[in-house]
Amino acid sequence: MAGQSVLVVEDTAEIRELVATVLARAGFDVRAVGTGAACLAEVRRSAPDLVVLDLGLPDGDGTEVCRRLRAESGSYVLMLTARAEEVDLLVGLAVGADGYMAKPFSPRELVARVQAMLRRPRPAVVPADDAVVRLADLEVDEDSREVRVDGAVVDLTRTEFDLLAALAARPGRVLQRETLLREVWQTEWSGSLRLVEAHMSNLRRKLTAAGLRAAEIRTVRGVGYRLVA
């Protein structure tokens, strides 16, 4: 992990120092700030590889900070939250967070999550001689990392694109949630299955809002998902 940088954004000094110390000991180049404004300024200055972002900040909600981060930065975003409600999770993921951790958490789990997020591969959608998957009114372009419905680009987060790309690489085949966890998040921790469900919910909502009709992501109850036309 040498050379990879992490920005910790947490208003509680004790937690901020703990997280920063744990990640620094794991070999990351760590900076830490306590407000959303300081977060945005530091991201513009140093372009960290990953931002650990608390949802509850003194100068605004973490989801709004995440939205602004996603508009101007390619950093991964791992949200920390003491609020376990489903709506908080869905809103955080919808605005572009790549994952979340609920407080309290173990230092070992935090390091493992950050390491897994930073080594996440981009699943190959199709062979190199054809970088675009076309399925009815849906196009998934791996080279440009764009998704189009009837030719119009759909604004997806990094993780939503990776999920759709994994499904598009094997149209019609059922992908287990555990398979998606391994390919997109590089983890086999069963507690992360909720992440798959939440991101899939946001992905479907965006595709439906974009007018997707012929192609669809179907749930295979108790197993996973498949992309069909």
Side-chain angles (χ1 to χ4, degrees), residues 153-172:
V153 175
V154 183
D155 183 20
L156 299 182
T157 68
R158 179 199 335 255
T159 301
E160 289 161 0
F161 178 89
D162 288 346
L163 278 173
L164 184 57
L167 292 169
R170 289 152 285 191

Side-chain angles (χ1 to χ4, degrees), residues 95-167:
V95 298
D98 297 289
Y100 83 103
M101 289 188 67
K103 301 175 184 176
F105 49 82
S106 73
R108 181 178 297 180
E109 180 188 359
L110 172 65
V111 171
R113 259 331 159 82
V114 170
Q115 289 174 336
M117 190 171 287
L118 285 172
R119 67 172 176 257
R120 277 167 49 181
R122 297 299 173 226
V125 178
V126 288
D129 61 345
D130 185 7
V132 181
V133 170
R134 295 178 177 86
L135 194 64
D137 50 348
L138 176 69
E139 292 184 6
V140 180
D141 189 330
E142 176 72 7
D143 283 349
S144 65
R145 292 187 62 80
E146 286 186 344
V147 170
R148 293 178 285 273
V149 173
D150 281 336
V153 175
V154 183
D155 183 20
L156 299 182
T157 68
R158 179 199 335 255
T159 301
E160 289 161 0
F161 178 89
D162 288 346
L163 278 173
L164 184 57
L167 292 169

